[in-house]
Amino acid sequence: MTQPRILVARAIFPDIAQRLRQHFDVEVNTDDVVWTPAELAARAADKQGVLTTGSERIDAALLAAAPQLRIAANMAVGYNNFDVDAMAAAGVQGTNTPDVLTETTADFGFALLMATARRMAESEHFLRAGLWKKWSYDMFAGGEVHGSTLGIIGMGRIGQGIARRGAHGFGMKVVYHNRSRLSAALEAECKATYVGKEELLATADHVVLVVPYSAASHHTIGAAELALMKPTATLINIARGGIVDDAALAAALREGRIAAAGLDVFEGEPSVHPDLLTVPNVVLTPHIASATVATRRAMATLAADNLIAFFDGRGPLTPVNTPTAQAAAMRALAR
Ligand code: GLV
C-alpha cells in the first residue's frame, strides 16, 4: 500500500521529520524558505497532508490546487492562517497545537510585561551605546509591576496563565475581558475579575492582549482604545499582528499618551511598522513567545501526532474544524 504523501512546509526538528518518514512519504522544506502561495500550492498539489506554521495560508485557492489534501496540521495554537470554513466545506481537517505551549507563552508574556514596565530594552541600548556616565535618581524609572493592576484581554488558557502569575506571584489585582466569562471557580483560581473592555483599559496599569485574531478582533486596540488608557500604562501584545493598530500605537508611544509597549507580533510581520523601530519606549521581539526548545519540540510533536493519528484512522487529536463528511470522503478518493 502506498504511504500518504506529506509536505512539511517549513524546516522542523530533523528527528521529528524522521519520525514522520516512518509513516509517510515526506517532502520537507529543509531550506526553510517561506514559499509564496503559488510555490506552496505547487508543492502541495500531490500531497494528502501538510504540516504548516503560521506563515502558510490554507485557503480556497490552495484547497483547489491540492485536490488530494485531507489534513493541514498547524504547528501553532493560533490558526488564523487557515480558512477553517473553506477547509471544512472542502472536506479538509485542520489541527493546531493547544496546551503544550500555554505555560511557556504565559512566561514570555509576563517577561515582556516586566521588560516593558521596567524599561529593560531601552536602558540596555543606552548602556551599549556608551551613554551610561553616572547614576541618577530617575534614570530609566519605570512603572511598578508588583501590586499594580493587570488587565488581560482574551482569557483563554494563556491569559489565565498570565493572570495566575500576576495574581499569585506579584500580588497584582487582575481584571479581564473576554467574549464569555470564566466559571466562578476559574475566576477564583486566577483571582480575576470580569470587567467591560472600556473599564479594563481605563483602570489597568498593564494591558496584555491574548485574543485570537479574526475579522472581529482586528484592531481591538486602536487610537480610541489607546486614548482610554492611563498615560502611565503599558500595552503588551503576544497575540497576533493586527490585533493592535501599530501605526496608532507608534503615535501614542511617541507622544507619551501611554508609557510603553511590548510587542512580540506585528501587522504584516516579519515587516515592522517603521515608526515602531524609532520610538524608544517599545520592546520588540520577533514572534518568539512559545520559543523554548522543549515547547517547540512539543508543538512539532503534536503536529506530527495529529497527522499520524488522522491517517491511522484514529481521527485528529486537536481539531479546529469539522469537515463535511461527504467532501472528506470525496477527498479520500481523489487521485
Ligand atoms: C504562535 O503564535 C502560535 O499561535 O502558536
Side-chain angles (χ1 to χ4, degrees):
M1 207 174 77
T2 58
Q3 291 178 317
R5 286 182 296 279
I6 299 291
L7 177 65
V8 179
R10 297 291 304 280
I12 56 166
F13 297 93
D15 59 312
I16 297 175
Q18 198 49 39
R19 182 165 159 245
L20 284 169
R21 287 193 187 94
Q22 291 163 11
H23 299 261
F24 307 117
D25 178 355
V26 182
E27 177 183 339
V28 183
N29 176 2
T30 42
D31 294 339
D32 204 30
V33 287
V34 180
W35 288 326
T36 63
E39 286 166 341
L40 177 65
R43 303 280 182 166
D46 63 344
K47 305 296 189 298
Q48 281 95 36
V50 59
L51 191 154
T52 51
T53 70
S55 312
E56 289 75 43
R57 271 201 71 69
I58 304 295
D59 54 14
L62 186 285
L63 295 169
Q68 302 180 42
L69 190 69
R70 297 176 58 197
I71 177 169
N74 216 27
M75 186 183 146
V77 66
Y79 50 90
N80 54 302
N81 55 316
F82 286 179
D83 182 337
V84 278
D85 295 334
M87 288 167 70
V92 175
Q93 181 67 61
T95 64
N96 69 341
T97 56
D99 301 321
V100 293
L101 50 61
T102 300
E103 298 303 327
T104 296
T105 305
D107 281 348
F108 188 87
F110 215 85
L112 193 52
L113 185 163
M114 295 190 76
T116 303
R118 298 301 308 273
R119 305 176 67 178
M120 292 177 79
E122 196 183 349
S123 59
E124 194 201 350
H125 292 152
F126 170 88
L127 182 153
R128 283 182 189 272
L131 298 171
W132 186 28
K133 303 295 180 204
K134 61 177 195 272
W135 180 94
S136 53
Y137 77 97
D138 62 349
M139 186 169 72
F140 294 108
E144 209 68 88
V145 175
H146 75 274
S148 64
T149 298
L150 171 61
I152 301 175
I153 300 184
M155 199 59 158
R157 290 162 288 217
I158 298 168
Q160 291 165 34
I162 293 170
R164 286 192 192 94
R165 282 160 179 75
H168 299 285
F170 289 80
M172 295 168 95
K173 176 180 171 190
V174 180
V175 291
Y176 78 97
H177 185 71
N178 199 42
R179 266 176 312 185
S180 51
R181 264 188 86 153
L182 299 184
S183 67
L186 261 184
E187 281 189 354
E189 196 185 313
C190 298
K191 293 197 182 173
T193 305
Y194 181 85
V195 294
K197 182 175 157 190
E198 295 195 351
E199 183 181 341
L200 182 146
L201 291 169
T203 56
D205 296 305
H206 308 288
V207 175
V208 181
L209 303 169
V210 212
V211 277
Y213 182 81
S214 68
S217 63
H218 182 73
H219 287 186
T220 295
I221 302 293
E225 289 75 19
L226 289 162
L228 293 175
M229 291 175 65
K230 297 180 186 180
T232 50
T234 65
L235 177 72
I236 310 300
N237 185 9
I238 58 163
R240 274 290 179 276
I243 301 284
V244 175
D245 177 343
D246 285 350
L249 174 62
L253 289 167
R254 190 180 301 284
E255 290 159 21
R257 282 187 271 121
I258 67 168
L263 306 174
D264 186 49
V265 287
F266 304 88
E267 286 189 289
E269 67 184 46
S271 295
V272 174
H273 193 291
D275 293 353
L276 287 173
L277 296 172
T278 57
V279 286
N281 46 342
V282 59
V283 182
L284 307 169
T285 53
H287 202 147
I288 55 167
S290 66
T292 64
V293 176
T295 292
R296 286 285 167 83
R297 285 193 65 82
M299 292 164 69
T301 300
L302 179 52
D305 286 345
N306 266 300
L307 292 166
I308 294 165
F310 178 83
F311 285 107
D312 270 1
R314 284 179 284 135
L317 305 175
T318 48
V320 299
N321 66 348
T322 310
T324 311
Q326 198 184 357
M330 298 286 286
R331 279 195 171 250
L333 293 175
R335 287 289 171 270

